[in-house]
């Protein structure tokens, strides 16, 4: 196995050598933000969108941004270059740094910056072909879900409940409306239209969400970005989830009940195909002319 190289506070090193003090506020309070950026054929996908959201998350928690957009892009590129796989999942985390434990922000403390990258596991063909099961749960997270914070306990417990029910993801509802999944955005399809919950403090503004809606519009599929009542989601013809690691997947059962006819629907098939076509691919090896 080749060594995984990570970036920690300005230095590159094997992951085994990366150490963070126990008083890091990320460890003590979950006081930080993060991004997961897919890279296909070593090319980060929708990098600007991810870095813009990172900046918004930092601003949203009052964490001073230690780098310019160009510096972040360079660091992400360097981590990708130093690791082996063609397709990678870059994980980037910034915390409020190391300080004696006190809830209030410390003064004059440098943020901790950590970037690692591992293989981006291909989405199993079986999941693309058959879809995945999901369960419905009450969204009991805080009211600032638009920030991509490392405090993920509620998401962790929700995902675990899904796993224990034999499901791949949960579909969350708050006050009678669809929000998102524990680590994905959720879409419904009814009467040929894609319904997407609008961006608000109640959902993460997914980068894949943007790509999915853009592809649907380009493909001539009607899109309605509006609050989706629970009853409409539960009786949808199709349900999808989207994320940087899962791309776009059909949810084919909800609470053990078939969604539509229980198979990935035609609109999913179309958007999934457009998504695959959008992904950067490894360049074919140069042709040997005249050989
Ligand atoms: N999760 N909603 C939540 C709560 C998420 O955690 C994620 C991503 C998404 C999808 O966002 P994007 O398309 O930008 O990945 C929506 C990442 C993958 C994670 O925590 O591992």
């Amino acid at each position: 196995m080749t060594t995984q190289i990570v970036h920690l506070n300005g230095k590159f090193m094997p992951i085994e050598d990366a150490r963070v003090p126990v008083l890091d506020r990320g460890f003590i309070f979950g006081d930080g933000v993060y991004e997961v950026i897919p890279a296909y054929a070593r090319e980060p996908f929708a990098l600007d969108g991810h870095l813009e959201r990172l900046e918004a998350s930092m601003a949203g928690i009052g964490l001073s941004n230690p780098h310019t957009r160009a510096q972040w892009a360079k660091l992400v590129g360097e981590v990708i270059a130093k690791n082996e796989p063609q397709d990678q999942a870059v994980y980037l985390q910034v915390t409020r740094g190391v300080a004696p434990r006190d809830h209030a922000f410390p003064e004059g403390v440098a943020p901790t910056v950590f970037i690692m990258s591992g293989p981006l596991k291909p989405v199993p063909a079986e999941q693309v072909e058959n879809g995945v099961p999901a369960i419905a749960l009450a969204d009991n997270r805080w009211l600032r879900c638009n920030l991509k914070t490392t405090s993920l306990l509620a998401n962790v417990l929700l995902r675990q409940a899904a796993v224990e029910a034999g499901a791949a993801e949960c579909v969350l509802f708050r006050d009678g409306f669809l929000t998102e999944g524990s680590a994905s955005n959720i879409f419904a399809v009814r009467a040929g239209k894609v319904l997407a919950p609008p961006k608000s403090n109640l959902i993460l503004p997914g980068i894949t969400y943007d790509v999915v809606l853009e592809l649907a519009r380009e493909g001539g599929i009607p899109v309605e970005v509006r609050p989706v009542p629970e009853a409409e989601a539960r009786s949808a013809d199709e349900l999808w989830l989207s994320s940087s690691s899962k791309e776009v997947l059909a949810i084919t059962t909800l609470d053990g009940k078939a969604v539509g006819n229980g198979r990935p629907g035609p609109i999913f098939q179309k958007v999934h195909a457009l998504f695959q076509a959008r992904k950067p691919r490894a360049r074919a090896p140069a042709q040997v002319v005249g050989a």
Side-chain angles (χ1 to χ4, degrees), residues 4-6 37 39 76 79-80 83 85 87-91 115-119:
Q4 191 180 355
I5 301 295
V6 304
I37 308 165
V76 168
V79 171
I80 293 171
N83 284 285
D87 292 350
Q88 299 183 24
V90 179
Y91 176 88
I115 310 174
M116 66 177 168
S117 190

Side-chain angles (χ1 to χ4, degrees), residues 103-122:
H103 289 62
F105 299 176
E107 275 184 31
V109 169
T112 300
V113 174
F114 174 60
I115 310 174
M116 66 177 168
S117 190
L120 177 65
K121 295 195 198 100

Side-chain angles (χ1 to χ4, degrees), residues 106-181:
E107 275 184 31
V109 169
T112 300
V113 174
F114 174 60
I115 310 174
M116 66 177 168
S117 190
L120 177 65
K121 295 195 198 100
V123 181
E126 188 276 326
Q127 293 189 350
V128 175
E129 201 159 304
N130 300 319
V132 294
I135 60 167
L137 290 174
D139 192 341
N140 56 10
R141 300 172 302 159
W142 72 335
L143 294 173
R144 304 186 69 193
C145 296
N146 53 315
L147 303 176
K148 201 161 173 61
T149 70
T150 58
S151 320
L152 284 173
L153 186 54
N155 304 60
V156 165
L157 296 179
L158 290 163
R159 171 60 70 84
Q160 184 59 22
V163 167
E164 286 173 13
E169 181 56 301
C170 45
V171 174
L172 302 177
F173 295 102
R174 193 195 287 265
D175 299 332
F177 289 92
L178 171 66
T179 54
E180 59 179 340

Side-chain angles (χ1 to χ4, degrees), residues 34 36 50 53 141 148 152 155 180-185 204-209 242-245:
Y34 77 106
V36 177
H50 283 280
R53 185 173 65 187
R141 300 172 302 159
K148 201 161 173 61
L152 284 173
N155 304 60
E180 59 179 340
S182 68
S184 58
N185 289 106
L204 187 80
I207 305 304
T208 324
Y209 166 108
S242 77
S243 79
S244 292
S245 49

Side-chain angles (χ1 to χ4, degrees), residues 171-173 177-181 184-190 192-200 202-206 208-217 221-229 232-233 236 238-242 248 267 271:
V171 174
L172 302 177
F173 295 102
F177 289 92
L178 171 66
T179 54
E180 59 179 340
S184 58
N185 289 106
I186 307 282
F187 303 85
V189 175
R190 290 176 65 91
K193 264 188 229 160
V194 180
L195 308 181
K199 290 181 185 174
S200 74
L202 302 181
I203 68 168
L204 187 80
T208 324
Y209 166 108
D210 285 340
V211 174
V212 163
L213 291 185
E214 188 184 314
L215 292 173
R217 288 183 177 114
I221 301 161
V223 168
E224 260 179 40
V225 177
R226 60 152 170 93
V228 181
E232 283 193 32
E238 301 183 23
L239 285 178
W240 313 338
L241 62 81
S242 77
V248 57
I267 312 226
V271 169

